[in-house]
């Protein structure tokens, strides 16, 4: 019973190569790129640039942006590999469900819901505050004087006054999102064009007042290499938002091509915009004279262009609008993905027939976000943002390795691109062309996750395990070792610098264990189907992405981790009470109980056995009472010679 329960927690969602989508397929590569850039380039362009340049990097913020963009790209291409093959909305949630298991998928989805709700609330409050600042705080003063009777709220984590205007702005954006994906893409495109024009204005006018000597004040990198890296860690959050492309995958016209292209274009365009404003700012004024609160307005005012603050203000408002729209665009689709799988309340899976949007999810979770906008302070909200998205990035990157080195990945990489749903959208990559070995009827492609032949003589003991099992175990141990090592190094950094023996021992042992357990992974065969987009240099790039995301996660405060733990506990309670029992996949599994299967060997049925990677599965009458989940175990236990590599020495 306990084993069945644990297996149910790790049940995976099968990949469907067809079927009608309830969402509208209408987004092109351009639409996805616009949504991606709009979701990524927000208020950080105008606020974060000045703060980091003055306090952390100086003019070398340019290098920090390049590093942060590269780190972001590592995670983004891992998303793209899954996104161009899985024709469903849900982003990291659905990727985890397909490759890892249900309970992990629920946790990722639950944390993404938190991210989008809090992100929308914080951006709405920032939009309201920025607009109010441009009109000399008239909204704030009116609210305090007439609503609060002259007394501000003075409570921890609570705002000074209720931001009703911010909530109204948020509801307006909810209305735009509820009108459909094409309306959202159009609204984002309009705002993004305005934002790009403002960035062009900042760069062109800024370069007219550029002085290269401003880069020579205390040197190009006054805070040293450590400042460049610290700046990159902070600026990484300016690149958060590309997951909107994966979320919108089910609504893409040609997702196998559009998602990878839009991902690369989004990161590239955002990086160019960030570099343009940072170059202009640091050349206009010395980094020591940058204003943290209004970097660009103050820089232009210093050159006598005071009216430029309104141009910058318009750009900032448009940038924040697109970021707000991006969060609210992702929010109902994430809830819809979980609800349609039965692990959240089914009412949230209802899609409006006219707009093809889960309107109820828009309204309910938009209201939750509006309440947070009214009540909470921005700083209290922002602390919640980072941990969920970083964990999602890390798990998706690790899932790429797991799927590439496991037989279960064949279903993901070998689906037929020619299969189309009723709306005519192409799915996934083409079927693999497997080369036959002469007349033997055996294929030359090795099974994914099996040990490479050249390593048999030294590491023969690794070949005794089912394909993919060694890789999975090594990956888990390596990631856990990295987490513990970085945690100790971060928490006891001063003791480590002083050479305290216990910190040095833990870091050395943990680091060595992380490396030693990772090295067996590339010694195994991975899926080698040259169709569709794939992350290059696997497992090295996904592993680097996992490591960098763990480092960033462990830079967050202890209080943030406590709040995160509480949110996870609430989510697990919902899953235990509702999701586990209403899971669509769980119900399908139960329906299969009593149906048994048997793996046919080549000599049993030459007609049935076609040389496929798994042999042939024969469905039998119920006589053993096993569920279809036992098939994975039975397949994994099939002798390696039936996966044929053309090496007859194994049969001996």
């Amino acid at each position: 019973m306990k084993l069945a329960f644990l297996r149910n927690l790790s049940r995976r969602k099968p990949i469907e190569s067809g079927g009608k989508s309830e969402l509208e397929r209408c987004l092109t590569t351009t639409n996805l790129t616009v949504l991606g850039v709009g979701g990524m380039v927000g208020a950080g362009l105008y606020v974060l640039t000045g703060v980091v340049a003055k306090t952390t990097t100086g003019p070398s913020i340019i290098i920090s942006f390049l590093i942060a963009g590269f780190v972001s790209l590592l995670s983004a291409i891992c998303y793209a590999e899954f996104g161009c093959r899985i024709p469903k909305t849900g982003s990291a949630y659905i990727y985890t469900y397909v490759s890892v298991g249900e309970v992990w998928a629920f946790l990722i989805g639950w944390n993404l819901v938190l991210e989008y709700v809090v992100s929308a609330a914080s951006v709405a409050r920032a939009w309201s505050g920025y607009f109010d600042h441009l009109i000399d705080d008239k909204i704030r003063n009116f609210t305090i004087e007439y609503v609060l009777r002259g007394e501000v709220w003075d409570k921890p984590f609570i705002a000074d006054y209720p931001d009703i205007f911010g909530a109204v702005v948020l509801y307006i954006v909810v209305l735009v999102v509820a009108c459909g994906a094409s309306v959202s893409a159009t609204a984002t495109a309009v705002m993004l064009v305005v934002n790009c024009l403002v960035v062009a204005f900042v760069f062109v006018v800024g370069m007219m007042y550029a002085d290269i000597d401003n880069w020579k004040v205390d040197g190009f990198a006054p805070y040293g290499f450590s400042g460049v890296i610290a700046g990159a860690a902070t600026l990484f959050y300016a690149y958060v938002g590309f997951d909107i492309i994966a979320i919108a995958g089910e609504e893409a016209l040609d997702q196998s091509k559009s998602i990878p292209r839009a991902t690369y274009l989004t990161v590239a365009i955002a990086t160019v915009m960030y570099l343009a404003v940072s170059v202009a700012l640091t050349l206009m004024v010395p980094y020591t004279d940058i204003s943290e609160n209004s970097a660009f307005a103050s820089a232009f005012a210093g050159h006598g262009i005071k009216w430029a603050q309104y141009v910058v203000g318009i750009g900032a408002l448009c940038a924040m609008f697109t970021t707000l729209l991006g969060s609210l665009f992702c929010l109902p689709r994430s809830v819809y993905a979980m609800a349609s799988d039965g692990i959240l309340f089914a009412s949230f899976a209802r899609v409006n027939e006219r707009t093809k949007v889960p309107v109820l999810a828009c309204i309910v979770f938009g209201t939750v976000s509006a309440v947070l906008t009214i009540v909470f302070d921005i700083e209290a909200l922002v602390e919640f943002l980072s941990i969920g998205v970083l964990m999602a990035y890390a798990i998706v990157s690790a899932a790429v390795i797991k799927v590439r080195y496991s037989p279960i990945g064949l279903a993901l990489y070998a689906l037929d691109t020619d299969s189309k749903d009723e709306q005519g959208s192409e799915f996934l990559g083409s079927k693999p062309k497997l080369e036959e070995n002469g007349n033997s009827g055996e294929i030359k492609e090795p099974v994914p996750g099996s040990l490479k032949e050249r390593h048999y003589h030294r590491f023969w003991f690794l070949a005794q395990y089912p394909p993919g099992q060694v890789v999975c175990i090594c990956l888990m141990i390596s990631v856990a070792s990295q987490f513990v090592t970085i945690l100790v190094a971060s928490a006891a950094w001063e003791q480590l610098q002083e050479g305290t023996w216990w910190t040095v021992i833990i870091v050395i042992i943990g680091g060595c264990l992380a490396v030693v357990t990772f090295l067996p992974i590339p010694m195994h065969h991975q899926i080698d189907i040259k169709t569709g987009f794939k992350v290059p240099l696997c497992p090295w790039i996904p592993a680097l992405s996992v490591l960098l995301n763990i480092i960033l996660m462990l830079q967050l405060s202890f209080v943030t981790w406590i709040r995160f733990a509480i949110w996870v506990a609430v989510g697990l309670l919902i899953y235990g009470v509702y999701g586990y029992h209403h899971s669509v996949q769980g119900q399908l599994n139960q329906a299969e109980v009593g149906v048994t299967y048997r793996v046919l060997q080549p000599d049993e049925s030459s007609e049935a056995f076609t040389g496929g990677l798994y042999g042939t599965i024969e469905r039998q009458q119920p006589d053993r009472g096993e569920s279809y989940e036992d098939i994975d175990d039975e397949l994994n236990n099939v002798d390696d010679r039936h996966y044929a590599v053309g090496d007859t020495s194994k049969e001996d």
Side-chain angles (χ1 to χ4, degrees), residues 163-185:
D163 192 356
I164 300 173
F165 180 67
V168 171
V169 172
L170 189 144
Y171 269 120
I172 292 174
V173 179
V174 167
L175 181 62
V176 173
V177 171
C179 289
S182 58
V183 176
S184 298

Side-chain angles (χ1 to χ4, degrees), residues 240-577:
V240 170
F242 60 77
D243 52 331
I244 190 175
I245 299 173
I247 284 283
E250 190 171 341
E251 295 159 278
L253 290 172
D254 186 359
Q255 77 180 85
S256 62
K257 295 180 180 179
S258 294
I259 290 181
R261 291 174 181 174
T263 299
Y264 279 114
L265 286 172
T266 294
V267 177
I269 293 172
T271 301
V272 170
M273 294 177 71
Y274 288 138
L275 291 178
V277 295
S278 59
V279 167
L281 178 63
T282 53
L283 284 175
M284 285 176 67
V285 294
Y287 80 95
T288 54
D289 295 339
I290 294 175
S291 171
E292 294 185 40
N293 296 324
S294 55
F296 294 96
S298 299
F300 283 121
H303 290 282
I305 317 175
K306 294 184 178 180
W307 55 267
Q309 66 173 320
Y310 297 104
V311 177
V312 174
I314 292 172
L317 291 176
C318 290
M320 284 186 277
F321 182 90
T322 57
T323 303
L324 176 58
L325 193 149
S327 296
L328 292 174
F329 182 91
C330 294
L331 178 56
R333 286 160 176 79
S334 297
V335 174
Y336 162 80
M338 299 175 72
S340 61
D341 287 330
I343 58 178
L344 267 187
F345 306 110
S347 56
F348 293 134
R350 296 173 186 169
V351 174
N352 184 276
E353 294 183 0
R354 183 176 179 180
T355 64
K356 301 297 182 182
V357 172
V359 175
L360 181 62
C362 281
I363 295 173
V364 172
F365 286 89
T367 301
V368 173
S369 190
V371 171
L372 296 179
T373 302
I374 293 173
V375 176
F376 288 97
D377 182 68
I378 290 182
E379 292 183 4
L381 293 172
V382 170
E383 288 183 358
F384 258 128
L385 285 178
S386 304
I387 191 167
V389 67
L390 289 173
M391 180 169 290
Y393 290 174
I395 289 181
V396 169
S397 299
V400 169
I401 300 176
K402 181 180 184 296
V403 171
R404 285 276 199 100
Y405 287 89
S406 173
I408 68 169
L410 289 167
L412 177 63
Y413 291 87
L415 287 177
D416 193 351
T417 58
D418 296 329
S419 62
K420 298 183 179 182
D421 68 359
E422 296 181 12
Q423 299 184 28
S425 177
E426 294 185 357
F427 282 140
L428 313 176
S430 60
K431 288 182 179 179
K433 297 179 180 179
L434 300 175
E435 182 181 355
E436 293 188 359
N437 182 19
N439 298 322
S440 65
E442 295 181 343
I443 54 174
K444 298 177 67 174
E445 294 290 339
V447 74
S450 61
L451 188 67
K452 293 179 179 178
E453 289 70 27
R454 63 176 178 269
H455 297 300
Y456 269 101
H457 64 290
R458 291 184 179 178
F459 303 99
W460 54 268
F461 54 90
L462 297 178
Q464 300 178 14
Y465 298 93
Q469 189 175 89
V470 172
V471 171
C472 187
I473 293 174
C474 286
L475 181 61
M476 288 190 295
I477 296 175
S478 180
V479 171
S481 301
Q482 292 173 41
F483 187 89
V484 172
T485 303
I486 298 169
L487 175 62
V488 172
S490 301
W493 179 249
E494 293 183 0
Q495 292 90 332
L496 187 63
Q497 287 183 313
E498 294 173 357
T500 305
W501 66 271
W502 62 271
T503 59
V504 174
I505 290 177
I506 292 177
V507 169
I508 291 177
I509 293 177
C512 291
L513 184 62
V515 172
V516 170
T517 53
F518 179 80
L519 290 178
I521 294 177
M523 293 164 55
H524 291 74
H525 289 289
Q526 64 172 296
I527 293 175
D528 189 23
I529 298 175
K530 297 177 176 61
T531 55
F533 175 80
K534 295 200 303 183
V535 178
L537 300 177
C538 185
W540 307 104
I541 285 182
L544 180 59
S545 177
V546 172
L547 174 63
L548 294 173
N549 283 295
I550 290 176
I551 292 173
L552 292 174
M553 274 193 292
L554 292 174
Q555 302 306 308
L556 301 174
S557 66
F558 179 73
V559 174
T560 301
W561 281 93
I562 294 296
R563 293 172 180 169
F564 174 74
I566 294 173
W567 177 256
V568 168
V570 172
L572 289 176
L573 179 62
I574 294 175
Y575 176 75
V577 173

Side-chain angles (χ1 to χ4, degrees), residues 36-105:
V37 176
M40 183 179 290
V41 181
L45 180 72
Y46 299 95
V47 178
L48 202 59
T49 303
V51 174
V52 173
K54 181 171 184 176
T55 63
T56 310
T57 63
S60 62
I61 188 175
I62 300 167
I63 308 300
S64 296
F65 264 125
L66 290 173
I67 295 173
F70 174 74
V71 174
S72 175
L73 184 63
L74 296 181
S75 297
I77 60 177
C78 292
Y79 269 70
E81 174 160 336
F82 279 117
C84 69
R85 288 180 169 84
I86 300 178
K88 291 294 180 183
T89 191
S91 185
Y93 158 74
I94 193 68
Y95 305 160
T96 307
Y97 205 167
V98 166
S99 59
V100 181
E102 184 173 282
V103 68
W104 285 102

